[in-house]
Amino acid sequence: MIYGDYHTHTVFSHGKGSMEDNVVAAIKAGLKEIAITDHGPRHVTAGVKIKRLPEFFAEADRLGEKYPQIKIFTGIEANFLSPRGETDVPEEYADKFDVIICGYHKVIKPLKAGDVGFFLGNLFSKNSKRTLVRNTDAYINAIEKNEIDIISHPNHDCRIDLRAVGEAAAAKGTLLELNGKRISMTTDDLIMLADLGCRFIMDSDAHSPEKVGNVSMQTEAYEKSGLPPSLVVNLNNAPSFRRGKEKEKRRL
């Protein structure tokens, strides 16, 4: 069983439930921790509004007091914006998040007009060598330039050199997500990544409260790999995120 679910969405982006709905669902599922990780603000159709982030953090604090039996993390599922490694974590609020997830999504407002090709390539020439190189550069540069805790659904909608990305993730200590909504990596991929020193995290990517904590599909797939459960940081244990550690240091 997973100790906590660290990738869930609410009405702050395009989830169907409130933050409290997700927290209550997590408690009912027997989880000890939950992260609310709504989409980054440059997602055109589902991004959290920056002006609502004070409300987001205040609600997490309120619920933390109301439900002391579960630990609530504030987070964001940021977006890759270019092959140079930029993400859309709002700088003015970056230090307030407990966990930073980053992933590729299709409908993103690029930073520069010249970056449109990064997204169009995945729509119209996803199997080209140029697209593969651009995608891989985006992942590796983002991992190396930013304090990212989790890469969400690697290889989904964005073909990458998974070995190269795995090497970067292992070197930086960035976790690779086993996503509860989809299988984006094969058994052989998982074994290869484990050999590189990568570690994994199982999350639901829930967009509705009833999906919180649901990682049954990934549990079955991971068991088939024959890899030890200890490589999945939230199986029966509480993971440690670098953002949370830094926040604790600042409080001391």
Side-chain angles (χ1 to χ4, degrees), residues 157-224:
D157 279 341
C158 187
R159 182 169 161 260
I160 56 175
D161 181 336
L162 197 55
R163 176 177 290 276
V165 172
E167 289 172 347
K172 194 71 181 283
T174 299
L175 301 168
L176 300 179
E177 184 184 63
L178 306 178
N179 186 279
K181 291 175 61 179
R182 55 183 66 84
I183 300 291
S184 60
M185 296 181 287
T186 68
T187 297
D188 288 342
D189 288 336
L190 297 182
I191 293 170
M192 178 269 291
L193 292 167
D195 287 343
L196 293 175
C198 292
R199 299 176 79 195
F200 309 99
I201 188 165
M202 282 189 190
D203 293 318
S204 68
D205 192 4
H207 286 65
S208 59
E210 62 268 21
K211 297 294 185 180
V212 170
N214 187 347
V215 294
S216 56
M217 178 174 59
Q218 287 291 358
T219 301
E220 182 180 349
Y222 189 79
E223 287 175 349
K224 289 180 181 178

Side-chain angles (χ1 to χ4, degrees), residues 123-180:
L123 293 174
F124 301 111
S125 57
K126 63 181 180 180
N127 293 318
S128 74
K129 182 177 180 180
R130 183 180 182 184
T131 296
L132 175 68
V133 170
R134 280 194 300 211
N135 292 345
T136 303
D137 285 347
Y139 276 69
I140 292 175
N141 287 331
I143 290 169
E144 292 179 345
K145 294 179 179 180
N146 304 279
E147 293 300 318
I148 297 171
D149 294 294
I150 301 169
I151 295 295
S152 59
H153 41 70
N155 242 5
H156 175 64
D157 279 341
C158 187
R159 182 169 161 260
I160 56 175
D161 181 336
L162 197 55
R163 176 177 290 276
V165 172
E167 289 172 347
K172 194 71 181 283
T174 299
L175 301 168
L176 300 179
E177 184 184 63
L178 306 178
N179 186 279

Side-chain angles (χ1 to χ4, degrees), residues 37-57:
T37 53
D38 283 299
H39 284 285
R42 296 189 79 87
H43 194 299
V44 174
T45 61
V48 63
K49 304 298 183 185
I50 293 178
K51 65 182 180 182
R52 293 196 69 194
L53 285 176
E55 177 189 353
F56 175 88
F57 291 113

Side-chain angles (χ1 to χ4, degrees), residues 11-13 38-44 46-58 76 78-79 81 87-94 96-97 109 111:
V11 291
F12 277 99
S13 58
D38 283 299
H39 284 285
R42 296 189 79 87
H43 194 299
V44 174
V48 63
K49 304 298 183 185
I50 293 178
K51 65 182 180 182
R52 293 196 69 194
L53 285 176
E55 177 189 353
F56 175 88
F57 291 113
I76 190 168
N79 300 288
L81 300 180
T87 75
D88 62 348
V89 176
E91 290 185 12
E92 62 269 43
Y93 293 102
K96 291 182 68 66
F97 291 112
K109 182 179 179 181
L111 283 176

Side-chain angles (χ1 to χ4, degrees), residues 59-110:
E59 178 66 354
D61 289 341
R62 183 186 75 83
L63 295 174
E65 294 181 3
K66 184 175 180 179
Y67 300 100
Q69 66 269 50
I70 190 168
K71 186 172 182 179
I72 302 169
F73 291 80
T74 57
I76 190 168
E77 186 183 12
N79 300 288
F80 296 119
L81 300 180
S82 81
R84 299 180 300 278
E86 294 100 340
T87 75
D88 62 348
V89 176
E91 290 185 12
E92 62 269 43
Y93 293 102
D95 289 343
K96 291 182 68 66
F97 291 112
D98 298 307
V99 55
I100 301 290
I101 304 176
C102 195
Y104 176 84
H105 299 92
K106 294 177 182 178
V107 191
I108 303 300
K109 182 179 179 181

